[in-house]
Amino acid sequence: MKAVAVFPGKRQVRVIDAPEPELQAPTQVKVRTHEVGVCGTDKDIVSFTYGTPPPGLDYLILGHECLGEVVEVGPAVQGLQKGDWVVPRVRRPCPHALCPACRGGHPDFCITGDFTERGIKEAPGFCSEHFVEDVAYLHRVATELHDVAVLTEPLTIAEKALRQLDLIQERLPWRPVPGRAVVLGAGPVGQLGVLTLLRRGFATTVYSHSRKPNVKAEAAEAVGAPYLSTQDISPEELVRRAGAPDVIYEAAGTAKAAFEALKSLSPNGVFIFTGVPSKSEQMSLGGDDFLKQLVLNNQVLLGTVNAAASDFDAALEDLARFRARWPGGLERLITARHPPESFFDVVTGKAGGGIKHVITFT
Ligand SMILES: [Zn+2]
Ligand SMILES: [Zn+2]
């Protein structure tokens, strides 16, 4: 079958003819891939800074943001049948008996680092005509969401982050009403963060590098989130215009801009980091001022990665809510669809800018 693979040893990325996967356990499901989203993690893998093939193989099949259709189910599979559309989770638990996260169904909080991730770390991805997966890692997608459900996986980042935000803010002796949020970065994770924050009632502003007009600003403003450029507006001016944010949702992966924006966080505020910096940035942090600000304002810095089963369920519910509230808003986030042969050009930006690019298998 056709698959897109990276060969780290040979420093190659290409379409290969991979062995057709077959069911090997009664709880497994065979899925025909429809769409695979491409993101910054793929970019890091094709530049060989990240990504590990499965043991014994010299290549890794790429792709971790997937939407597919069930074509075969094992005899012990319950809850899915042929013809259902599904989204798979990415991370699989580590083998260690003493990892409370993995043993408790939350490999997204694994403490050993020995988890695997499909399309990223030691497990084949989904950018292939078919894949096989245990039913426990698949989420059924309602028919009306088929054209946008490839956004489920990147949306789970926001779902997990905001679930934790709620838990953190339970520390406050009153029930906080959703206040102001600022989203740093306007790529797919930022845009989906915007929708998730707006849906929960936060007055949300996007604060990102590029100047208007651009498609990312248009997408944010179409759903009611004002867009400001870091090139025009200082963090101080941002606070004057939009008020001090109770939540800053960082989705740009740029350390310097993040720590600049942190200065605007309100008392009792939470700063959520979701972006993984891909380039190194020299910066000096006024350490004493930084600690003073955090301590004297009860502020929390939260890093968050990956997502659990409940976050996938929440993401699929939210996609339906977003679609009802902002018709066309999700579709606008999918810039273009491409054949597998274009994967390298898409991931390296040669196929154009925009928001989310998707590989399709037909
Ligand atoms: Zn991704
Ligand atoms: Zn673990």
Side-chain angles (χ1 to χ4, degrees):
M1 67 170 179
K2 189 187 282 187
V4 179
V6 58
F7 293 75
K10 297 184 210 158
R11 299 183 86 78
Q12 281 180 356
V13 181
R14 57 187 164 89
V15 172
I16 61 168
D17 184 17
E20 185 78 28
E22 304 297 343
L23 299 189
Q24 288 176 341
T27 54
Q28 285 183 335
V29 174
K30 185 168 176 176
V31 179
R32 181 164 79 83
T33 303
H34 278 280
E35 295 186 331
V36 175
V38 174
C39 78
T41 301
D42 300 303
K43 194 174 177 185
D44 289 344
I45 296 172
V46 304
S47 58
F48 312 105
T49 55
Y50 211 65
T52 315
L57 286 185
D58 64 345
Y59 66 89
L60 171 71
I61 296 179
L62 285 154
H64 58 275
E65 303 178 3
C66 177
L67 171 69
E69 182 181 354
V70 172
V71 291
E72 191 182 346
V73 294
V77 168
Q78 290 187 340
L80 279 181
Q81 55 187 8
K82 209 175 147 184
D84 283 343
W85 286 46
V86 290
V87 168
R89 297 206 297 286
V90 180
R91 191 176 283 190
R92 302 293 170 264
C94 77
H96 304 292
L98 292 176
C99 179
C102 290
R103 302 293 71 79
H106 266 278
D108 57 315
F109 284 110
C110 178
I111 62 168
T112 71
D114 290 337
F115 55 82
T116 60
E117 287 176 331
R118 295 205 61 159
I120 304 173
K121 184 173 180 282
E122 296 164 20
F126 306 117
C127 204
S128 54
E129 287 178 273
H130 295 103
F131 64 91
V132 164
E133 185 51 273
D134 195 278
V135 65
Y137 298 111
L138 297 170
H139 296 259
R140 203 171 75 81
V141 176
T143 310
E144 58 273 22
L145 293 177
H146 286 180
D147 53 342
V148 292
V150 71
L151 298 172
T152 305
E153 196 278 339
L155 175 57
T156 62
I157 304 300
E159 298 292 350
K160 176 177 172 181
L162 295 201
R163 179 165 55 78
Q164 293 173 90
L165 173 69
D166 286 346
L167 292 169
I168 291 166
Q169 294 307 58
E170 276 184 20
R171 68 193 173 134
L172 300 176
W174 68 93
R175 182 189 286 260
V177 291
R180 288 181 288 264
V182 164
V183 173
L184 306 181
V189 173
Q191 299 278 352
L192 292 163
V194 167
L195 297 178
T196 313
L197 286 158
L198 286 172
R199 206 278 285 169
R200 286 164 166 249
F202 284 91
T204 305
T205 301
V206 178
Y207 190 43
S208 189
H209 181 74
S210 303
R211 288 195 167 105
K212 287 201 280 192
N214 65 70
V215 291
K216 296 174 179 176
E218 284 160 20
E221 296 195 333
V223 295
Y227 179 102
L228 301 172
S229 167
T230 54
Q231 298 183 72
D232 299 328
I233 306 285
S234 66
E236 294 77 23
E237 178 64 17
L238 174 73
V239 171
R240 271 195 294 276
R241 288 199 190 188
D246 303 296
V247 176
I248 299 179
Y249 185 88
E250 186 281 327
T254 51
K256 217 168 168 177
F259 283 99
E260 266 309 305
L262 173 65
K263 293 175 188 161
S264 67
L265 189 64
S266 77
N268 308 324
V270 180
F271 193 112
I272 300 168
F273 289 89
T274 75
V276 181
S278 53
K279 59 173 198 268
S280 73
E281 262 186 300
Q282 287 302 318
M283 58 176 281
S284 65
L285 190 65
D288 48 346
D289 284 343
F290 171 65
L291 289 190
K292 202 185 285 175
Q293 182 196 328
L294 288 189
V295 170
L296 297 182
N297 292 289
N298 297 299
Q299 292 171 336
V300 175
L301 301 186
L302 170 71
T304 182
V305 69
N306 202 257
S310 61
D311 302 314
F312 276 75
D313 292 336
L316 286 161
E317 286 171 21
D318 261 349
L319 284 177
R321 292 193 192 101
F322 296 166
R323 168 162 269 177
R325 180 158 163 192
W326 300 289
L330 288 168
E331 288 84 348
R332 192 190 283 265
L333 303 185
I334 300 175
T335 301
R337 290 177 162 88
H338 310 264
E341 288 75 13
S342 301
F343 191 99
F344 188 75
D345 286 349
V346 170
V347 78
T348 53
K350 289 192 194 103
I355 303 175
K356 174 62 77 183
H357 288 265
V358 170
I359 302 296
T360 59
F361 288 81
T362 47

